[in-house]
């Protein structure tokens, strides 16, 4: 285990990794909206890179399921319908249940410390009633929860699902929980870990995900439709 203050090598990120992260973020925040086509020339110019690493980065996102290829047309950002939304949250439930079981079997103290810091960011965003910051903090909390499991494979699978979750929330902000409700849900998760209450923790994670499905289900319009239409 790393001792406090001990220096470790800083991981170096390749150009492809950096570009993939930029594209992933643009999809997550809607700068590259659902259904939009990715033009190599334009993106390479905007990012200030050659087409080689851009193509490799885009192929990574194809493998992750965030982009799809259409023959003779090119690459497009995926669109999500309500069946996809349910599938995203059910997949997250499976991953986060597994992550929670590992957290409870390993260093709960470290997990509580990291999650408390993430919860503080959520509390601050909720206090300001900043919906974008709340979504960011919500996503960060769940990313930390999976990371605290110590499983790089669960973390890798969760990454794409969290991007897809954010795509859903970008389109359906009117269904997002009230700030106090959102904070309360996440505080109960931290408390369950701190108390060593695994059964309660797993129940809370299931309620959190199924509750999100129910909140998103009532809307009849497709997630990529024009809200004014």
């Amino acid at each position: 285990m790393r001792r406090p203050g001990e220096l470790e090598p800083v991981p170096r990120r390749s150009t492809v990794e950096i570009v993939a992260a930029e594209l992933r973020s643009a999809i997550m925040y809607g700068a590259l909206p659902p259904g939009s086509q990715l033009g190599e020339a334009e993106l390479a110019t905007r990012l200030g890179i050659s087409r080689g690493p851009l193509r490799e980065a885009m192929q990574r996102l194809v493998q992750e399921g965030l982009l799809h290829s259409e023959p003779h047309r090119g690459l497009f950002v995926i669109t999500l319908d309500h069946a996809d939304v349910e599938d995203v949250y059910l997949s997250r439930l499976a991953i986060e249940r597994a992550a929670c079981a590992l957290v409870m079997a390993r260093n709960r103290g470290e997990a509580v410390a990291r999650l408390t810091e993430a919860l503080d960011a959520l509390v601050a965003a909720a206090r300001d009633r900043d919906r974008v910051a709340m979504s960011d903090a919500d996503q960060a909390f769940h990313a930390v929860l999976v990371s605290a499991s110590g499983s790089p494979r669960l973390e890798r699978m969760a990454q794409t699902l969290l991007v897809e979750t954010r795509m859903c929330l970008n389109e359906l902000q009117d269904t997002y929980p009230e700030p106090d409700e959102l904070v309360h849900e996440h505080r109960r998760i931290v408390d369950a870990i701190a108390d060593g209450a695994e059964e309660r923790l797993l129940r809370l994670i299931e309620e959190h995900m199924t509750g999100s499905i129910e909140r998103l289900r009532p809307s009849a319009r497709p997630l990529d439709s024009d809200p004014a239409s």
Side-chain angles (χ1 to χ4, degrees):
M1 182 182 294
R2 178 184 177 186
R3 295 189 299 273
E6 182 180 354
L7 297 177
E8 293 186 343
V10 177
R12 296 182 179 180
R13 301 176 72 196
S14 68
T15 300
V16 172
E17 288 175 318
I18 295 170
V19 173
E22 286 291 311
L23 294 176
R24 203 178 287 116
S25 178
I27 292 170
M28 182 168 68
Y29 287 100
L32 291 173
S36 61
Q37 184 174 13
L38 274 64
E40 276 189 19
E42 179 191 0
L43 283 174
T45 299
R46 288 171 63 184
L47 293 167
I49 58 171
S50 65
R51 295 195 187 189
L54 174 61
R55 286 178 186 143
E56 189 173 341
M58 290 193 297
Q59 285 305 311
R60 286 195 183 188
L61 268 62
V62 170
Q63 293 169 359
E64 292 174 12
L66 295 174
L67 298 177
H68 69 94
S69 177
E70 294 189 10
H72 311 298
R73 294 192 64 201
L75 295 178
F76 294 80
V77 178
I78 62 167
T79 58
L80 300 173
D81 61 22
H82 288 279
D84 293 318
V85 171
E86 184 165 351
D87 191 45
V88 165
Y89 278 96
L90 289 176
S91 299
R92 280 186 58 191
L93 173 58
I95 289 170
E96 294 195 26
R97 279 180 61 89
C100 285
L102 289 173
V103 164
M104 299 301 279
R106 295 177 178 176
N107 192 340
R108 287 192 296 113
E110 179 182 342
V112 168
R114 293 176 62 189
L115 286 167
T116 299
E117 184 177 347
L119 180 61
D120 288 343
L122 180 57
V123 169
R127 186 184 304 120
D128 295 337
R129 303 188 72 84
D130 183 333
R131 292 285 179 173
V132 174
M134 284 169 57
S135 295
D136 284 343
D138 186 355
Q139 298 285 91
F141 180 96
H142 288 275
V144 169
L145 178 62
V146 177
S147 174
S149 73
S151 169
R153 290 169 179 80
L154 287 177
E155 193 170 2
R156 189 164 59 241
M157 289 187 289
Q159 182 181 49
T160 298
L161 290 169
L162 287 171
V163 174
E164 291 181 313
T165 301
R166 187 54 182 268
M167 292 171 69
C168 301
L169 297 178
N170 285 343
E171 297 294 334
L172 297 169
Q173 281 289 343
D174 57 329
T175 68
Y176 210 54
E178 286 300 307
D180 290 346
E181 179 186 354
L182 190 67
V183 169
H184 181 62
E185 284 185 13
H186 290 77
R187 193 183 303 281
R188 291 174 69 199
I189 290 171
V190 177
D191 289 345
I193 297 173
D195 294 343
E198 182 171 351
E199 185 175 337
R200 189 206 319 163
L201 174 63
L202 296 178
R203 186 185 73 249
L204 289 171
I205 289 295
E206 182 167 358
E207 290 174 354
H208 184 73
M209 296 303 171
T210 56
S212 296
I213 292 172
E214 289 304 317
R215 280 193 292 264
L216 292 168
R217 184 173 285 156
S219 178
R221 65 180 178 84
L223 294 181
D224 59 336
S225 66
D226 183 351
S229 62

